[in-house]
Amino acid sequence: MKLLRRTLIFTLILAGLFSMTACFIMKQKKFGKTPSGERLERIKKSPNWRNGSFQNLNPTPQLAEDTSMPEIMFRFLFGKVEKKAPVHAFHFEKTDLRNLDPNQDTFIWMGHSSYYMQIDGKKILVDPVLSGYASPFSFTTKAFKGSDLYTAEDIPELDYLIITHDHWDHLDYNTVLKLFPKTKKIITGLGTGEHLELWGYNPKNMIELDWFESSDLGNGFKINAEPARHFSGRTFKRNQAIWASFVFESPNQRIYIGGDSGYDDHFKKIGEKYGSFDLAILENGQYNKDWRYIHFLPGENIKAMKELNAKRMIPVHNSKFALAVHPWNEPLQKITELNTENLRIITPKIGENVDWKDDEKVYEKWWEAYD
């Protein structure tokens, strides 16, 4: 009886210590904050807000019907995956962003979903995760060796910082803190501004958009928020901020910034709404049949490109972090194999200065050198 009592007391003490530790960790600023005040009141008026959270346009299970979370965790933790990360470190050349011709239209990929663009004289950065990891803790979800080419210090003064949603692999606390002083405007989905405001960014310089809302940026520039099929959340409480794709329009270009999304009929509707795109930047990687509703499976991004009527596509969301159980180089292999119609799909190296309007340039299959 005494042994049972001691065991029970010890268990309760451990549980209490675990709860206190978890509570302390979750109160750190990097986890952000759920919307409140005027922002919450605006959210509650959104047609996309129901039953206390944002909803996708069509029913979207987090997990496919034929699987379960224990199965997924078991496969992720104990399943054998060949080439989940490159065996050898990447060796890429780094474009000096600070000394680019400001009038040059360019795209520079930083791995995963982080990229820098210059469009008609505007400097734009999307979803920068430049701290070497994509999680709350620096010892997990580390960048592949050689992929973390850029730091926040390499970024020039920005006209626009675009954040598609608040997941850790798209919104990095340490990176954006360093970028705040040199960012004129942040553009993001409705609700994500609560994190940014908590972290010290002036809400007067934020543009928060719900799906189907637009903001005139002046001088022929415009930003439009469109749907994506995904979810949001930096803690256990999900979907308090909306996840979005964005259409960036300049006097001469129309760019589709896809963020994260599973396939759905919104791509066709967006294509019909805008007519065509000069460039679509779409996710390509971190997929699994278990979460096929919230990330493209191979080939679905090609289908989306066609429905968007995009002249060109750059696939991202790969080659920096292992967030799924496929080989690291499979997304790039698959998209080139499945491009049977010879669509203009651009596959640059990390750090490469890309003139994406040059349709004569041939891009090498650089990932094969690291096979």
Side-chain angles (χ1 to χ4, degrees), residues 31-208:
F31 286 91
K33 185 181 175 217
T34 55
S36 60
E38 292 181 8
R39 183 176 284 110
L40 180 58
E41 291 308 307
R42 181 185 166 195
I43 286 171
K44 286 180 178 179
K45 294 174 183 175
S46 168
N48 307 303
W49 176 270
R50 295 185 299 279
N51 302 320
S53 64
F54 282 108
Q55 306 290 330
N56 283 291
L57 293 178
N58 291 317
T60 302
Q62 290 288 311
L63 299 176
E65 298 86 348
D66 53 357
T67 192
S68 66
M69 182 56 74
E71 288 179 83
I72 292 172
M73 291 305 298
F74 182 84
R75 286 198 294 270
F76 187 81
L77 294 172
F78 304 109
K80 290 184 179 180
V81 181
E82 292 185 10
K83 304 184 205 172
K84 190 174 180 181
V87 175
H88 305 291
F90 292 140
H91 295 284
F92 297 126
E93 292 184 20
K94 181 178 178 179
T95 298
D96 183 353
L97 306 181
R98 292 179 174 275
N99 290 309
L100 286 170
D101 178 351
N103 296 312
Q104 175 192 2
D105 283 359
T106 190
F107 175 99
I108 289 118
W109 183 38
M110 299 173 177
H112 201 63
S113 289
S114 305
Y115 46 92
Y116 173 85
M117 295 187 289
Q118 289 184 176
I119 302 172
D120 288 339
K122 297 295 184 183
K123 297 177 180 179
I124 304 157
L125 186 65
V126 177
D127 289 354
V129 178
L130 309 177
S131 295
Y133 57 97
S135 80
F137 310 109
S138 60
F139 55 86
T140 63
T141 322
K142 288 188 169 186
F144 300 152
K145 292 179 181 178
S147 69
D148 208 34
L149 209 59
Y150 287 92
T151 66
E153 288 72 26
D154 296 318
I155 308 300
E157 184 174 287
L158 297 169
D159 293 290
Y160 305 113
L161 171 60
I162 297 176
I163 306 294
T164 63
H165 62 297
D166 68 359
H167 281 159
W168 294 89
D169 60 319
H170 292 258
L171 175 56
D172 178 48
Y173 173 71
N174 291 320
T175 298
V176 297
L177 280 187
K178 294 174 183 176
L179 292 176
F180 283 166
K182 48 187 172 183
T183 300
K184 295 177 184 177
K185 291 278 185 185
I186 293 182
I187 300 169
T188 191
L190 179 57
T192 300
E194 191 80 22
H195 305 314
L196 302 169
E197 187 174 347
L198 171 70
W199 299 341
Y201 193 77
N202 187 343
K204 292 181 180 179
N205 294 329
M206 280 192 283
I207 299 171
E208 280 185 90

